[in-house]
Amino acid sequence: MNWSQRPMAAPFFSRLRRSSQIAAADVAALSALPAEIRVFEAHATIVPEGRRNDHVHVMLDGWASRTKILENGSRQMPALFVAGDVCDLDGLLFVRSDCTTMALTRCTVALLPRDILLTLLDRHRGLRHALGSMLATELSTSTQWTVCLGRRSARERLGHLLCELSVRLHSVGLGNGLGVCTLPLTQEEIADVLGLTAVHVNRTLQGLRSDGLIQLREQRLLINDWAALRRECGFDAAYLHVDGVAAGPPDGRGMSADAHVSLNS
Amino acid sequence: MNWSQRPMAAPFFSRLRRSSQIAAADVAALSALPAEIRVFEAHATIVPEGRRNDHVHVMLDGWASRTKILENGSRQMPALFVAGDVCDLDGLLFVRSDCTTMALTRCTVALLPRDILLTLLDRHRGLRHALGSMLATELSTSTQWTVCLGRRSARERLGHLLCELSVRLHSVGLGNGLGVCTLPLTQEEIADVLGLTAVHVNRTLQGLRSDGLIQLREQRLLINDWAALRRECGFDAAYLHVDGVAAGPPDGRGMSADAHVSLNS
DNA sequence: CGAAGTGTTGAAGGGTTTCAAGCATAGTGG
DNA sequence: CCACTATGCTTGAAACCCTTCAACACTTCG
């Protein structure tokens, strides 16, 4: 069976179609690639630092993160990947990866042969634009995280992250409406994303809960008051570049203008 | 006169040639672009947030930064640009920029028409790889900054930044040897890069100075003990992707293998 | 000469960390 | 079925890094 026909591949192709310049032939060519499907258990390494990039890894299911361990043993996760994300886009340009990507939950990943994909990119302008936009979005997201870590309080960082994840999952068709989604990360993992300690994440989470802004238990996140949370942490979804995305009801229409406005109001 | 023949354009073309796949024809095509040269005074806005991207901005001289101002008035600079950098690479992929880029010093910038450059990219595989690598390097740099802001002390962050800037300037032929370069940023601007206050940057700088690690006065930086500073802040230049770059003496040879080793020892 | 920008220093306060302990849940093997 | 262990969540108290506020020195410039 063609890998693109698995239901799990829907988020990735939904992201591809976000590009204004993608054509049916582009999608078809990518679908025809000989992909290997692999499952990584939680805590397994998907792409080790320094490995030669022979494949590009497309997340089909589960959560993963870029992970750096410092000399003193502390850990930071400068990027999170969910279904639909490519977790080593830089591998298309560089021979070796300079950051480890590890599975946070059990992950299903499609491995696309790098050299074949590169020749495909030479022929397909639309694919270049789509994957380039994904890389640029990753940069703008990383930029936003830098701003959050540099100038926002623990409460703002946490709220901002929850808003972002909610939008990202919603935009690829995961989660039930905006503000309702799974969040299978432990508080320690959240801390390693936000540059905090697990203890402080715990207390901050309680603050958001007791103020009625969110609910979070058993790996289910519910944002009770989207507008209030958004306002308090200064979240603006523009940097995620999801506008016009087909993330609405599965009737084929894209997200309406109103739906987009609702992200930011 | 062709814009590429200005001496100021050397750092940018030096960066282009870092790509293993760039060809003479690629460089020639880019050189032939009708570029407008503009000078921005310090504190001027080079690319305002939300503006339609009609041009791509190549830094020829001076320092610039991405700048975000938060609701509470605090400022964060999630990226720094020096000669040779393209300060709105994402503008090639997105219609509008989602971050302001401002001049920190007087800047000379080459404006390349976006649509012409895009058609050029369609024809020149080498240019695609070169600019793509620059974008990927910007991502890996942003990733590294996120790690620093999340898990490193003020002293480590500051030392790490000084190491990075020293290597970046050295790699495009600016500065006199590794660890000697200009640093025209105010302590407040450094603070806005590192997510600290100017007061604390001041005190931290004094710590590095009194420990004999660096000298910094009148906008000249000198790293006295590269190995010690590098060790103390956990700096590893790999993420800058400067290996094999033509950054040595102006005799045309690339940086030798030994020179590269010296970056990390 | 006054004003503005930058660097410097001191003292007090606060957000976050660190350390430590306790609790709940799930899985495991006897 | 029940210790036993491992993992994750929760809570308290003390310590610390960095911020905040305030003041002053120095330089540049109109």
Side-chain angles (χ1 to χ4, degrees):
Chain A
M1 181 177 90
N2 191 314
W3 72 282
S4 68
Q5 283 155 21
R6 292 169 171 255
M8 270 187 186
F12 175 64
F13 285 91
S14 152
R15 288 211 57 182
L16 275 186
R17 293 201 190 82
R18 228 176 255 182
S19 163
S20 56
Q21 305 190 14
I22 199 93
D26 301 327
V27 175
L30 197 56
S31 304
L33 269 185
E36 177 190 352
I37 308 293
R38 270 177 68 182
V39 174
F40 295 86
E41 294 303 319
H43 308 120
T45 300
I46 299 177
V47 184
E49 177 175 349
R51 175 165 73 196
R52 220 187 121 83
N53 293 313
D54 294 325
H55 296 273
V56 171
H57 296 71
V58 177
M59 298 281 301
L60 300 187
D61 189 50
W63 292 56
S65 73
R66 270 192 229 278
T67 305
K68 289 256 196 202
I69 311 274
L70 301 192
E71 320 75 47
N72 59 23
S74 63
R75 188 174 68 165
Q76 177 74 28
M77 298 179 176
L80 282 177
F81 301 110
V82 298
D85 292 330
V86 178
C87 63
D88 54 352
L89 260 178
D90 46 328
L92 278 172
L93 293 145
F94 296 136
V95 180
R96 295 179 189 283
S97 59
D98 50 27
C99 202
T100 298
T101 300
M102 62 173 271
L104 298 178
T105 68
R106 173 189 289 242
C107 288
T108 308
V109 179
L111 276 68
L112 312 183
R114 181 177 184 259
D115 48 0
I116 304 185
L117 180 53
L118 283 175
T119 61
L120 218 59
L121 285 174
D122 280 336
R123 282 205 213 100
H124 292 268
R125 188 184 196 288
L127 281 185
R128 290 201 298 272
H129 184 269
L131 293 185
S133 297
M134 287 177 74
L135 183 61
T137 299
E138 208 181 322
L139 173 60
S140 66
T141 302
S142 176
T143 296
Q144 193 66 46
W145 284 26
T146 303
V147 173
C148 286
L149 292 203
R151 290 294 181 217
R152 291 195 191 283
S153 68
R155 184 180 167 103
E156 290 170 322
R157 282 185 232 178
L158 181 52
H160 200 280
L161 178 66
L162 298 182
C163 286
E164 174 184 315
L165 293 176
S166 170
V167 169
R168 283 172 63 182
L169 291 171
H170 179 68
S171 76
V172 293
L174 302 174
N176 300 312
L178 195 58
V180 183
C181 59
T182 64
L183 186 64
L185 306 185
T186 67
Q187 293 182 356
E188 181 155 19
E189 286 161 347
I190 294 175
D192 287 339
V193 167
L194 299 178
L196 300 167
T197 59
V199 170
H200 200 57
V201 166
N202 182 293
R203 292 194 243 257
T204 309
L205 223 29
Q206 289 178 50
L208 292 179
R209 268 193 281 242
S210 66
D211 290 347
L213 291 172
I214 66 159
Q215 289 176 260
L216 174 58
R217 52 179 211 285
E218 290 164 13
Q219 313 193 333
R220 296 288 308 169
L221 168 68
L222 168 61
I223 298 179
N224 290 317
D225 192 338
W226 177 266
L229 185 61
R230 188 187 106 72
R231 193 178 335 110
E232 193 177 334
C233 12
F235 178 77
D236 177 348
Y239 72 95
L240 293 174
H241 297 276
V242 294
D243 9 65
V245 65
D251 59 3
R253 290 183 305 113
M255 184 184 284
S256 71
D258 286 4
H260 174 234
V261 166
S262 77
L263 283 181
N264 291 326
S265 60
Chain B
M1 180 176 90
N2 191 315
W3 72 283
S4 67
Q5 283 155 22
R6 293 171 171 254
M8 269 186 187
F12 175 63
F13 285 92
S14 153
R15 288 209 58 181
L16 275 186
R17 293 200 191 84
R18 226 176 259 182
S19 163
S20 55
Q21 306 191 13
I22 198 93
D26 302 326
V27 174
L30 197 55
S31 305
L33 271 185
E36 177 189 352
I37 308 292
R38 271 178 66 183
V39 173
F40 295 86
E41 295 302 319
H43 308 121
T45 298
I46 299 178
V47 184
E49 176 176 348
R51 173 163 78 195
R52 217 186 122 85
N53 293 313
D54 292 325
H55 296 274
V56 170
H57 296 72
V58 177
M59 297 284 297
L60 301 186
D61 190 49
W63 291 57
S65 72
R66 271 192 227 278
T67 305
K68 289 257 195 201
I69 310 274
L70 301 191
E71 320 76 47
N72 59 22
S74 64
R75 188 173 68 164
Q76 177 74 27
M77 299 180 174
L80 282 177
F81 301 111
V82 298
D85 292 331
V86 177
C87 63
D88 54 351
L89 260 178
D90 46 327
L92 278 172
L93 292 145
F94 297 137
V95 179
R96 293 179 191 284
S97 59
D98 49 27
C99 202
T100 300
T101 300
M102 64 173 271
L104 298 178
T105 68
R106 172 190 289 240
C107 289
T108 308
V109 180
L111 277 67
L112 312 184
R114 180 176 184 263
D115 48 0
I116 304 185
L117 181 53
L118 283 175
T119 60
L120 219 57
L121 285 175
D122 280 337
R123 281 205 215 100
H124 292 268
R125 186 183 199 289
L127 281 184
R128 290 201 298 272
H129 184 268
L131 293 185
S133 297
M134 288 176 72
L135 183 61
T137 298
E138 209 181 321
L139 173 59
S140 65
T141 302
S142 176
T143 296
Q144 193 67 47
W145 285 27
T146 304
V147 173
C148 284
L149 292 202
R151 290 293 181 218
R152 302 194 114 100
S153 67
R155 184 178 166 103
E156 290 171 322
R157 281 185 233 179
L158 181 52
H160 199 280
L161 178 67
L162 298 182
C163 286
E164 174 184 315
L165 293 176
S166 170
V167 169
R168 283 172 62 181
L169 291 172
H170 179 68
S171 76
V172 292
L174 302 174
N176 300 311
L178 196 59
V180 184
C181 59
T182 63
L183 186 65
L185 307 184
T186 66
Q187 294 181 356
E188 182 156 19
E189 286 160 346
I190 294 175
D192 287 340
V193 167
L194 299 179
L196 301 167
T197 60
V199 170
H200 200 59
V201 165
N202 183 294
R203 291 194 242 258
T204 308
L205 224 29
Q206 291 178 48
L208 291 179
R209 268 193 282 243
S210 66
D211 290 347
L213 291 172
I214 66 160
Q215 288 176 260
L216 175 57
R217 52 179 212 283
E218 289 163 14
Q219 311 193 336
R220 297 288 308 169
L221 168 67
L222 167 60
I223 298 180
N224 290 317
D225 192 339
W226 177 266
L229 185 61
R230 187 187 107 71
R231 195 177 334 113
E232 192 176 335
C233 7
F235 177 77
D236 177 348
Y239 71 95
L240 294 173
H241 296 278
V242 294
D243 9 65
V245 66
D251 59 2
R253 289 185 306 116
M255 183 185 283
S256 71
D258 287 3
H260 172 236
V261 166
S262 78
L263 282 180
N264 291 326
S265 60

